[in-house]
Structure formats: C-alpha cells, structure tokens
Amino acid sequence: LEDSNTIPPPFSILWCLTLLFLPSLATTGHPTAIGTRALRGMAEPTKDCGGAGLIAPCGQPVGQLNEEKAEQFEEEHVHGVYNTISSHFSHTRYKPWPKVVEFLESLEDGSWVADVGCGNGKYIGVNPRLTYAGSDRSIGLAECCRNNGHEVCVADTLRLPYRTASFEAAISIAVIHHLSSEARRVAAVQEILRILKPGGRMLLYNWAYEQTGRRKGFTEQDNLIPWHLQKSFKKEASGHGQVVEQKNSVVYKRYYHMFIETESEKLVELAGGCRIEKSYFDQENWCVVAIKE
C-alpha cells in the first residue's frame, strides 16, 4: 500500500467490497516539477495579482502548454500546490453546494457513486442511501478526506483504478479545469465515462471564464491563480511559494483553465459515448450533466 500511495482506510465491509472491483491501486509517483518559464520559453509574468482573502481576483495568464510538458507543469502548479495547502484548503471547503446535493439526492437508493477529485470528501455521505468511492490525486487532500472518516484512494483522474462499468453515477466537482490541455480534459471525461454503467449519470463542474463575483475580469482562459496560505497552516517551504509578510501568508499559484459558455458541452461531445441531459451556471462554474449511452 505504501508503494501505491494509497491512503488505507479503516478496515470495513465497504472497503472489502471496493477491493472486489479495483483492478489495481493507483500510483502517482513524484515527477520533478518544472517552472512555467521553462515550459513557455519566455520570461515569467511580473504582474502582481495581489487581492484580499484566499483567492485573488485576478490571475497570471500562461501560454499554451506543450503536451509533453503538461504533466510536469501540473505536478508543480496543481498537485504540488494542493499537497502543500491541503489543510488550509480543506478548512475552507465544508459546505456542499446545493445543486450537487440535489444531483446526489436524485440518484436511486443503493447506487454506487465515484467522487473523482473528492478533495476533503465534503460530498461523500451527503445522501446516506448511496455508496461512495472517493479518489483524489493529492495525497494531502486524500489524508484530509480520510481524517474526516471517509473511504478514499489516491488516484489520477486520467487513470482511475476502477473496473469498466462499475458505477451508477460519478461527480467531478472543480477538477477537470486543472488539466492543462484540451486533450487531457477530454481524456478525463472519457475515463469517467469508462467507469460508468450504461445509463449512468455524470456531473461535471468547472470554473467559468464569465465569473461575476470577486474573481471576475479574466482576460485569458489559462491562468495561475494565487492561494494565500496562512502561516498557521504552513508546514514547510516548498515549490514556488512567495512570502507576503504584510498578509502573514505564503502565495502558491494554481493552474486553472477557465471554461467559457458551451465549452463544457463541447468537451462532453468530444469525449463521445454519452448524451447531455442538461447544463447550467452555478457557483461561478459551468456545469453539465450527461448520461452514458
């Protein structure tokens, strides 16, 4: 289990049942991270995003990433960041969004649900009549989820450790926007569809370009969004964190691809093998529900 980077939950009947349909345990490894300057072949942006609170109201645009470099880029600007900020991030993520709860409540009793990119597990168990399998690429967030009493494994969204056609439903809330190319985002949707049974339902949420709140005003779809890690949550210096003394914090920059209107539908259509049930705007995200054919 240690070699697989799996977070072993307490022994339970549920975990034993889960193992029945897990062909293998996910491995993540620790690739060497590289900076955006090396990826883009140009100087780093110097714009100071500033901003108050945990998420700044603007981002630094990043150029189109070379597909070969995408995984390394995400290791630094997504996985590495979330491992560092996991405790602080989890502390701010405690209230389930109503429309996600509504989706889970609409499922048939006894359904198996995959929460892909489950974070601290705030949606696991909101409908106690369902059975959940949570996974997250971040070891730190998976530990938060386990500490909250949930079953979880560490797994890449692009390589889920589940048998084909195992679930009646899947949710992926604010996850796919962290993948840095369209090909990888399409592959993520296809992987979620793979684990769904025919007729299974999928709910996707991704940050919107057309945001109207404090993060409005994006000029690019691909951005590095600052996270101000409060020093009370800071374990150790890592990666590209920048100390901001006046805010008593360290800033880490997370990669986001901001979805424009209809892009979620286009992504699902490119993935194929499903039909769109509905799409909508909620919590500054473009959202889509699709059914596997």
Side-chain angles (χ1 to χ4, degrees), residues 55-89:
I55 301 177
C58 61
Q60 293 182 346
V62 298
Q64 291 296 317
L65 299 177
N66 185 304
E67 186 66 24
E68 184 179 341
K69 307 275 189 175
E71 189 168 346
Q72 292 175 306
F73 177 79
E74 291 163 16
E75 178 64 25
E76 178 178 357
H77 285 287
V78 182
H79 314 315
V81 173
Y82 278 104
N83 281 336
T84 300
I85 70 172
S86 56
S87 294
H88 188 193
F89 183 83

Side-chain angles (χ1 to χ4, degrees), residues 35-38 40-49 59-63 73 77 220 222-225 242 253:
T36 53
R37 181 174 184 174
R40 299 197 308 271
M42 60 181 72
E44 292 283 3
T46 58
K47 179 181 177 182
D48 181 8
C49 288
Q60 293 182 346
V62 298
F73 177 79
H77 285 287
E220 301 285 343
D222 298 292
N223 293 275
L224 297 176
I225 307 297
Q242 177 184 358
K253 297 172 184 176

Side-chain angles (χ1 to χ4, degrees), residues 88-271:
H88 188 193
F89 183 83
S90 177
H91 184 71
T92 69
R93 298 300 192 270
Y94 54 87
K95 186 176 181 180
W97 289 341
K99 284 191 174 295
V100 179
V101 174
E102 180 182 304
F103 173 83
L104 293 171
E105 292 285 354
S106 73
L107 301 175
E108 185 177 347
D109 289 1
S111 294
W112 278 80
V113 181
D115 189 345
V116 180
C118 64
N120 66 359
K122 72 176 183 178
Y123 291 108
I124 297 177
V126 297
N127 180 352
R129 299 181 300 279
L130 308 176
T131 301
Y132 301 84
S135 65
D136 203 283
R137 177 62 174 76
S138 165
I139 295 175
L141 287 175
E143 288 176 343
C144 291
C145 184
R146 181 187 62 176
N147 292 338
N148 287 334
H150 304 306
E151 311 271 358
V152 62
C153 67
V154 175
D156 193 323
T157 302
L158 298 173
R159 294 178 288 275
L160 294 172
Y162 307 128
R163 294 188 186 277
T164 297
S166 297
F167 293 88
E168 280 80 22
I171 61 174
S172 183
I173 310 302
V175 174
I176 293 175
H177 57 213
H178 287 307
L179 297 171
S180 54
S181 72
E182 182 178 70
R184 291 170 69 77
R185 293 188 287 271
V186 170
V189 176
Q190 290 173 333
E191 181 67 351
I192 294 172
L193 287 169
R194 179 187 68 79
I195 68 173
L196 285 178
K197 296 178 180 180
R201 299 171 71 207
M202 168 181 68
L203 172 64
L204 307 178
Y205 269 59
N206 291 291
W207 271 25
Y209 178 82
E210 304 89 342
Q211 297 193 22
T212 58
R214 59 175 176 165
R215 293 191 299 263
K216 66 181 180 181
F218 290 105
T219 60
E220 301 285 343
Q221 280 189 262
D222 298 292
N223 293 275
L224 297 176
I225 307 297
W227 178 276
H228 292 263
L229 178 64
Q230 296 176 6
K231 287 188 176 180
S232 59
F233 289 93
K234 184 174 179 290
K235 296 179 181 178
E236 60 183 28
S238 63
H240 52 276
Q242 177 184 358
V243 177
V244 182
E245 294 292 349
Q246 64 270 29
K247 294 186 178 181
N248 197 33
S249 66
V250 179
V251 177
Y252 291 90
K253 297 172 184 176
R254 302 164 294 157
Y255 170 78
Y256 283 80
H257 173 78
M258 319 303 291
F259 277 60
I260 60 174
E261 187 174 6
T262 74
E263 187 172 354
S264 292
E265 295 93 323
K266 176 186 175 184
L267 191 69
V268 169
E269 290 169 357
L270 287 172

